[in-house]
Coordinates of all heavy atoms in Angstrom, one line a residue:
A768 N 6.6 22.6 -6.5 CA 5.9 23.0 -7.7 C 6.3 22.2 -8.8 O 5.7 22.1 -9.9 CB 6.1 24.4 -8.0
F769 N 7.5 21.3 -8.7 CA 8.0 20.7 -9.8 C 7.6 19.2 -9.8 O 8.1 18.4 -10.7 CB 9.5 20.8 -9.9 CG 10.0 22.2 -9.9 CD1 10.8 22.6 -8.9 CD2 9.5 23.1 -10.9 CE1 11.3 24.0 -8.9 CE2 9.9 24.5 -10.9 CZ 10.9 24.9 -9.9
V770 N 6.9 18.7 -8.9 CA 6.6 17.3 -8.7 C 5.5 16.9 -9.6 O 4.3 17.3 -9.5 CB 6.3 16.9 -7.3 CG1 6.0 15.4 -7.2 CG2 7.4 17.3 -6.3
P771 N 5.8 16.0 -10.6 CA 4.6 15.5 -11.4 C 3.9 14.5 -10.7 O 4.2 14.2 -9.6 CB 5.4 14.9 -12.7 CG 6.7 14.5 -12.1 CD 7.0 15.4 -11.1
S772 N 2.9 13.8 -11.4 CA 2.1 12.9 -10.7 C 2.8 11.5 -10.6 O 2.4 10.5 -11.1 CB 0.8 12.7 -11.5 OG 1.1 12.4 -12.9
V773 N 3.9 11.5 -9.9 CA 4.7 10.3 -9.6 C 3.9 9.4 -8.7 O 3.1 9.8 -7.9 CB 6.1 10.5 -9.2 CG1 6.9 11.3 -10.1 CG2 6.0 11.3 -7.8
P774 N 4.2 8.1 -8.7 CA 3.5 7.2 -7.7 C 3.9 7.6 -6.3 O 4.9 8.2 -6.1 CB 4.0 5.7 -8.1 CG 4.6 6.0 -9.5 CD 5.1 7.4 -9.6
G775 N 3.0 7.3 -5.3 CA 3.2 7.6 -4.0 C 4.5 7.2 -3.4 O 5.1 8.0 -2.7
P776 N 4.9 6.0 -3.7 CA 6.4 5.6 -3.1 C 7.4 6.6 -3.6 O 8.4 6.9 -2.9 CB 6.6 4.2 -3.6 CG 5.2 3.7 -3.7 CD 4.3 4.8 -4.2
A777 N 7.3 7.1 -4.9 CA 8.3 8.0 -5.4 C 8.3 9.3 -4.6 O 9.4 9.9 -4.4 CB 8.1 8.2 -6.9
L778 N 7.0 9.7 -4.3 CA 7.0 11.0 -3.5 C 7.7 10.8 -2.1 O 8.4 11.6 -1.5 CB 5.6 11.4 -3.4 CG 5.4 12.8 -2.7 CD1 6.1 13.8 -3.4 CD2 3.9 13.1 -2.7
R779 N 7.4 9.6 -1.5 CA 8.1 9.3 -0.2 C 9.6 9.3 -0.3 O 10.3 9.8 0.5 CB 7.5 7.9 0.4 CG 6.1 8.1 0.8 CD 5.6 6.7 1.2 NE 6.2 6.0 2.3 CZ 6.0 4.8 2.7 NH1 5.1 4.1 2.2 NH2 6.7 4.3 3.7
V780 N 10.1 8.7 -1.3 CA 11.6 8.6 -1.5 C 12.1 9.9 -1.8 O 13.1 10.4 -1.2 CB 11.9 7.7 -2.6 CG1 13.4 7.8 -3.1 CG2 11.6 6.2 -2.2
L781 N 11.4 10.9 -2.6 CA 11.9 12.2 -2.8 C 12.0 13.0 -1.6 O 13.0 13.7 -1.3 CB 10.9 12.8 -3.9 CG 11.3 14.3 -4.1 CD1 12.7 14.6 -4.7 CD2 10.3 15.0 -5.0
L782 N 10.8 12.9 -0.7 CA 10.9 13.6 0.5 C 12.2 13.1 1.3 O 12.7 14.0 2.0 CB 9.6 13.4 1.3 CG 8.4 14.1 0.6 CD1 7.1 13.7 1.4 CD2 8.5 15.6 0.7
F783 N 12.4 11.9 1.5 CA 13.5 11.4 2.3 C 14.8 12.1 1.7 O 15.7 12.4 2.4 CB 13.5 10.0 2.2 CG 14.7 9.3 2.9 CD1 14.9 9.4 4.3 CD2 15.7 8.7 2.2 CE1 16.0 8.9 4.9 CE2 16.9 8.3 2.8 CZ 17.0 8.3 4.2
L784 N 14.9 11.9 0.4 CA 16.1 12.3 -0.3 C 16.5 13.8 -0.1 O 17.6 14.3 0.2 CB 16.1 12.1 -1.8 CG 16.2 10.5 -2.2 CD1 16.2 10.4 -3.7 CD2 17.4 9.9 -1.6
L785 N 15.4 14.6 0.0 CA 15.5 16.1 0.1 C 16.0 16.3 1.5 O 16.8 17.3 1.8 CB 14.1 16.8 0.1 CG 13.6 16.9 -1.3 CD1 12.1 17.3 -1.3 CD2 14.5 17.9 -2.1
G786 N 15.8 15.3 2.5 CA 16.3 15.5 3.9 C 17.6 15.1 4.1 O 18.2 15.3 5.2
V787 N 18.1 14.2 3.3 CA 19.4 13.6 3.5 C 20.6 14.1 2.5 O 21.7 13.7 2.6 CB 19.5 12.1 3.6 CG1 18.5 11.6 4.6 CG2 19.1 11.5 2.2
Q788 N 20.2 15.0 1.7 CA 21.2 15.5 0.7 C 22.3 16.4 1.3 O 22.1 17.0 2.3 CB 20.4 16.3 -0.4 CG 19.8 17.6 0.1 CD 19.1 18.4 -1.0 OE1 19.7 18.7 -2.0 NE2 17.9 18.7 -0.7
E789 N 23.4 16.3 0.6 CA 24.5 17.2 0.9 C 24.3 18.5 0.1 O 23.5 18.6 -0.7 CB 25.8 16.6 0.4 CG 26.2 15.2 1.0 CD 27.3 14.6 0.3 OE1 28.0 15.2 -0.6 OE2 27.7 13.5 0.7
P790 N 25.0 19.6 0.5 CA 24.8 20.8 -0.3 C 25.1 20.6 -1.8 O 26.0 19.9 -2.1 CB 25.9 21.8 0.4 CG 26.1 21.3 1.7 CD 25.9 19.8 1.6
G791 N 24.2 21.0 -2.6 CA 24.4 20.9 -4.0 C 23.5 19.7 -4.5 O 23.4 19.3 -5.7
G792 N 22.9 18.8 -3.6 CA 22.0 17.8 -3.9 C 22.6 16.5 -4.1 O 22.0 15.5 -4.5
R793 N 23.8 16.3 -3.7 CA 24.5 14.9 -3.7 C 24.1 14.1 -2.6 O 23.9 14.5 -1.5 CB 26.0 15.1 -3.7 CG 26.8 13.8 -4.0 CD 28.3 14.1 -4.2 NE 29.0 12.8 -4.5 CZ 29.6 12.1 -3.5 NH1 29.7 12.5 -2.2 NH2 30.3 11.1 -3.9
I794 N 23.8 12.7 -3.0 CA 23.3 11.9 -1.9 C 24.0 10.5 -2.1 O 24.0 10.0 -3.2 CB 21.8 11.6 -2.1 CG1 21.0 12.8 -2.0 CG2 21.3 10.6 -1.1 CD1 19.7 12.8 -2.6
V795 N 24.7 10.1 -1.1 CA 25.4 8.8 -1.1 C 24.7 7.9 -0.2 O 24.6 8.0 1.0 CB 26.8 9.0 -0.6 CG1 27.6 7.6 -0.7 CG2 27.6 9.9 -1.5
I796 N 23.9 7.0 -0.8 CA 23.0 6.0 0.0 C 22.7 4.8 -0.8 O 22.6 4.9 -2.1 CB 21.8 6.8 0.6 CG1 21.2 6.0 1.5 CG2 20.9 7.1 -0.7 CD1 20.1 6.7 2.4
T797 N 22.4 3.7 -0.2 CA 22.1 2.5 -1.0 C 20.5 2.5 -0.9 O 19.8 3.1 -0.2 CB 22.5 1.2 -0.2 OG1 21.9 1.1 1.1 CG2 24.0 1.2 -0.1
Q798 N 20.0 1.7 -2.0 CA 18.5 1.6 -2.1 C 18.0 0.9 -0.8 O 16.9 1.3 -0.4 CB 18.2 0.8 -3.4 CG 18.4 1.6 -4.6 CD 17.9 0.9 -5.8 OE1 17.3 -0.2 -5.7 NE2 18.3 1.4 -7.0
Q799 N 18.8 0.0 -0.3 CA 18.3 -0.7 0.9 C 18.3 0.2 2.1 O 17.2 0.1 3.0 CB 19.3 -1.8 1.3 CG 18.7 -2.7 2.4 CD 17.3 -3.3 2.1 OE1 17.2 -4.0 1.1 NE2 16.4 -3.2 3.0
A800 N 19.2 1.2 2.2 CA 19.1 2.1 3.3 C 18.0 3.0 3.2 O 17.3 3.5 4.2 CB 20.4 3.0 3.3
I801 N 17.6 3.5 2.0 CA 16.4 4.2 1.7 C 15.2 3.4 2.1 O 14.3 4.0 2.8 CB 16.3 4.7 0.2 CG1 17.5 5.6 -0.2 CG2 15.0 5.4 -0.1 CD1 17.5 5.9 -1.6
A802 N 15.1 2.2 1.6 CA 14.1 1.3 2.0 C 13.7 1.2 3.5 O 12.6 1.3 3.9 CB 14.2 -0.1 1.3
D803 N 14.8 1.0 4.2 CA 14.7 0.8 5.6 C 14.2 2.1 6.3 O 13.3 2.2 7.2 CB 16.0 0.5 6.3 CG 16.5 -0.9 5.9 OD1 15.8 -1.7 5.4 OD2 17.7 -1.2 6.0
A804 N 14.6 3.3 5.8 CA 14.3 4.6 6.2 C 12.8 5.0 6.0 O 12.2 5.6 6.8 CB 15.2 5.6 5.7

């Protein structure tokens, strides 16, 4: 419900980050690792 009209790639990245987060929302990852995923 909180997602504004971000570009499509931002939504793809957000969905990925939601799936790899630690409890509390912390994510340790490089931009290249996100890109590959």
Side-chain angles (χ1 to χ4, degrees):
F769 307 123
V770 181
S772 56
V773 295
L778 188 55
R779 287 173 63 186
V780 168
L781 176 62
L782 289 171
F783 175 75
L784 295 177
L785 286 168
V787 298
Q788 66 180 301
E789 299 170 5
R793 185 170 183 264
I794 303 156
V795 179
I796 193 167
T797 64
Q798 288 184 12
Q799 187 60 55
I801 298 170
D803 294 343

